[in-house]
């Protein structure tokens, strides 16, 4: 076995890629997985907007792109005078750019003519000077009422112009790429859950095979009367999966659905924003999920969960035995969400948005019923601090944090972690 092989004895190993109830039952906060308390930033960089799910412009090999010295990211946004709970109904994608990875500027709305009634999360690819944006079209454009259908869309035609500062320009063409097929991926009319999912496309080129993939959040259909979960219909309604499609030619705008990469039937309803970090020849698959989307009998948190395998389609083993990688402190359980891991040198960095803070032990439901001024006061709606993660084999631990919105530039050396400072002080003695 080489250093990075997971071996058959790894905790939770099983023949089929799935997150089992047995594994998820081990979810527990630990020093390695609980992030620090987040405080509001001294000044909000983008005060006129609520900002939540965020993704970076990346190269085909998964590294963060730097275009003529600019880091570029995309976020779901809504006007900041809107009640936080209403933001999903009007979400639109904006672009932000930074020349130092710390100070970010609003590059404006990306599209004038996007598909869907509003846009939900996605990913962005910088390929040969062109920008491709993958997003979720939520609701059918033209429909009078708000609907919850979800389709995966790819927009091509973007270019970055830095002749006078930074500008992202179209014209964009929008291509509907994928809809659930009802067989591998559940359609809305088959769903027995509170909300079905078919969203959050994320581009991935496999460094081992060179093949081109699109991951997404989905649900696995469980026919009525099925004997999975011992036939327990209540558990069967929780059927999250990580979906995947392949582009046979590598064309970012042409995809074919394949079987899910991993599912969580009987465990969790929403495996959100799936993405992979390839490190030490291993595939680290991450998803965000919520406390309230775990199946009856299981207790999880709003958290980043992760799995690792030796091949893209391998037998994923949950990280830290349960899958829990990063969560919020017990007294601030909803302060961060929608984590996105990315590589930087030997570390994995994790960015997320600053969600609801200042808790008095309420649930999210209770917060939604607070007076409007209170809801506004307690919503971050901006990017939180970037966490630093040490990832070794099947184990991870949080080793430090960078500031709100700090996304280091390529090659930027990170400050020593507290542990590192202690170690150095010891060896100086
Ligand atoms: C996660 C999420 C995504 C979705 C977006 C909608 O925060 O639920 O799955 O794309 O929010 O606002």
């Amino acid at each position: 076995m080489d250093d990075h092989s997971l071996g058959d004895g790894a905790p939770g190993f099983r023949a089929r890629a799935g997150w089992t109830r047995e594994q998820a039952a081990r979810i527990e906060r630990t020093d390695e997985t609980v992030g620090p308390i987040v405080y509001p930033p001294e000044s909000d960089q983008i005060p006129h907007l609520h900002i939540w799910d965020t993704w970076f412009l990346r190269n085909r090999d998964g590294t963060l792109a730097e275009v003529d010295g600019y880091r570029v990211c995309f976020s779901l946004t809504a006007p900041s005078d809107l009640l936080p709970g209403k933001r999903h109904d009007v979400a639109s994608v904006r672009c932000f750019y930074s020349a130092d990875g710390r100070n970010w500027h609003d590059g404006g709305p990306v599209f004038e003519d996007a598909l869907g009634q509003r846009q939900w999360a996605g990913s962005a690819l910088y390929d040969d000077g062109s920008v491709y944006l993958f997003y979720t079209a939520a609701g059918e454009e033209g429909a009078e009422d708000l609907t919850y259908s979800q389709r995966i869309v790819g927009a091509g035609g973007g270019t970055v112009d830095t002749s006078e500062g930074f500008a992202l320009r179209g014209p964009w063409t929008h291509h509907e790429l994928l809809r659930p097929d009802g067989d591998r991926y559940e359609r809305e009319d088959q769903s027995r859950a509170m909300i079905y999912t078919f969203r959050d496309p994320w581009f991935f080129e496999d460094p081992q095979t060179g093949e081109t993939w699109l991951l997404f959040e989905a649900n696995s259909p469980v026919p009525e009367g099925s004997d999975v979960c011992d036939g327990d219909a209540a558990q069967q309604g929780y059927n999250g999966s990580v979906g995947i499609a392949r582009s046979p030619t590598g064309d970012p705008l042409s995809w074919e659905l394949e079987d899910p990469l991993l599912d969580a039937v009987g465990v969790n309803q929403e495996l959100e924003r799936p993405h992979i970090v390839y490190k030490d020849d291993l595939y680290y698959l991450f998803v965000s999920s919520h406390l309230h989307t775990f199946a009856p009998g299981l207790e999880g948190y709003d958290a980043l969960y992760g799995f690792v395998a030796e091949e893209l389609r391998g037998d994923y083993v949950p990280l830290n035995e349960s899958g829990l990688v990063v969560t919020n402190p017990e007294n601030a359980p909803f302060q961060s969400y929608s984590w996105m891991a990315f590589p930087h040198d030997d570390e994995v960095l994790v960015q997320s948005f600053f969600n609801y803070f200042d808790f008095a032990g309420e649930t999210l439901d209770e917060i939604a019923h607070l007076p409007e001024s209170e809801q506004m006061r307690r919503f971050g709606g901006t990017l939180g601090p970037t966490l630093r993660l040490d990832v070794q084999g099947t184990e991870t631990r949080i080793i430090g944090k960078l500031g709100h919105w700090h996304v280091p530039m390529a090659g930027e050396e990170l400050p020593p972690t507290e542990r590192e400072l202690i170690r150095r002080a010891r060896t100086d003695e």
Side-chain angles (χ1 to χ4, degrees):
M1 208 204 303
D2 66 47
D3 275 346
H4 302 126
S5 161
L6 300 170
D8 288 8
F13 178 87
R14 59 184 225 156
R16 190 177 64 85
W19 194 11
T20 65
R21 287 180 66 87
E22 193 197 357
Q23 294 161 354
R26 299 189 199 121
I27 294 170
E28 211 183 336
R29 287 191 169 88
T30 61
D31 290 349
E32 289 72 34
T33 54
V34 174
I37 284 274
V38 180
Y39 296 97
E42 273 165 30
S43 68
D44 188 342
Q45 300 209 30
I46 320 278
H48 58 291
L49 295 170
H50 288 322
I51 291 176
W52 66 109
D53 293 14
T54 295
W55 57 93
F56 299 108
L57 183 63
R58 291 177 307 131
N59 301 307
R60 272 192 101 101
D61 68 2
T63 52
L64 269 52
E66 226 169 84
V67 185
D68 299 339
Y70 291 103
R71 279 266 189 263
V72 184
C73 76
F74 299 88
S75 302
L76 297 186
T77 63
S80 59
D81 55 5
L82 195 79
L83 270 184
K86 292 265 174 271
R87 69 185 194 280
H88 305 280
D89 299 346
V90 301
S92 71
V93 178
R94 280 183 178 248
C95 158
F96 300 91
Y97 59 94
S98 170
D100 62 2
R102 289 171 169 78
N103 295 292
W104 290 80
H105 309 280
D106 183 2
V110 178
F111 305 126
E112 280 167 7
D113 52 355
L115 302 189
Q117 292 171 316
R118 65 265 193 224
Q119 291 74 47
W120 289 353
S123 61
L125 169 69
Y126 189 58
D127 189 21
D128 216 7
S130 292
V131 178
Y132 294 88
L133 211 64
F134 304 97
Y135 65 90
T136 311
E140 304 287 332
E141 55 277 8
E144 243 170 63
D145 296 330
L146 205 60
T147 66
Y148 289 87
S149 70
Q150 292 154 49
R151 290 164 288 156
I152 289 173
V153 177
T159 47
V160 173
D161 178 356
T162 56
S163 52
E164 291 172 42
F166 177 94
L168 175 66
R169 301 196 201 289
W172 299 92
T173 53
H174 298 262
H175 308 258
E176 183 180 303
L177 303 177
L178 299 166
R179 280 183 187 258
D181 58 359
D183 175 22
R184 299 174 172 105
Y185 299 107
E186 190 170 69
R187 290 189 313 260
E188 191 174 13
D189 60 4
Q190 296 169 298
S191 174
R192 294 187 243 159
M194 43 195 163
I195 182 170
Y196 90 114
T197 73
F198 191 78
R199 59 178 186 252
D200 301 354
W202 192 83
F203 182 92
F204 179 64
E205 190 173 84
D206 186 339
Q208 284 186 10
T209 63
E211 287 182 309
T212 307
W213 301 92
L214 201 66
L215 273 62
F216 52 89
E217 172 188 4
N219 296 106
S220 293
V222 180
E224 239 155 304
S226 153
D227 57 7
V228 297
C229 313
D230 297 326
D232 181 340
Q235 286 180 24
Q236 289 173 355
Y238 293 76
N239 57 347
S241 76
V242 174
I244 193 163
R246 195 168 79 93
S247 169
T249 59
D251 176 353
L253 297 175
S254 169
W255 301 92
E256 292 169 6
L257 287 177
E258 294 210 354
D259 287 345
L261 207 54
L262 175 131
D263 73 41
V265 174
V267 174
N268 197 306
Q269 165 69 6
E270 294 191 338
L271 307 185
E272 308 215 272
R273 304 195 65 203
H275 59 284
I276 290 176
V277 174
Y278 184 74
K279 181 178 184 295
D280 302 335
D281 305 328
L282 296 171
Y283 297 77
Y284 286 91
L285 169 64
F286 295 101
V287 296
S288 287
S289 198
H290 290 291
L291 170 155
H292 68 267
T293 55
F294 278 90
L298 289 175
E299 279 175 43
Y301 316 119
D302 275 34
L304 176 74
Y305 296 92
F307 308 84
V308 58
E310 287 166 301
E311 290 160 18
L312 177 64
R313 282 209 159 273
D315 301 316
Y316 282 89
V317 171
L319 294 171
N320 307 320
E321 303 200 10
S322 65
L324 182 64
V325 175
V326 172
T327 191
N328 296 315
E330 199 174 356
N331 58 354
F334 309 112
Q335 71 169 10
S336 304
Y337 192 64
S338 218
W339 293 266
M340 179 59 61
F342 56 98
H344 184 81
D345 296 338
D346 285 346
E347 287 180 33
V348 173
L349 301 182
V350 183
Q351 159 271 315
S352 65
F353 78 94
F354 185 30
N355 195 6
Y356 288 100
F357 63 96
D358 205 358
F359 277 83
E362 301 101 325
T363 63
L364 267 192
D365 246 8
E366 284 161 345
I367 289 171
H369 293 100
L370 290 173
E372 295 189 359
S373 57
E374 242 334 78
Q375 292 181 43
M376 296 293 254
R377 186 185 72 74
R378 297 212 217 168
F379 183 64
T382 183
L383 289 200
T386 301
L387 296 182
R388 301 171 67 174
L389 208 60
D390 179 37
V391 177
Q392 306 288 341
T394 59
E395 289 179 8
T396 68
R397 73 194 160 105
I398 299 170
I399 53 170
K401 72 168 169 116
L402 306 172
H404 287 257
W405 279 99
H406 184 177
V407 181
M409 304 299 283
E412 183 178 324
E413 202 176 314
L414 302 185
T417 60
E418 273 175 36
R419 245 173 233 261
E420 178 61 18
L421 289 174
I422 294 169
R423 202 185 58 78
R424 283 189 202 170
R426 278 235 189 100
T427 43
D428 284 354
E429 269 167 19

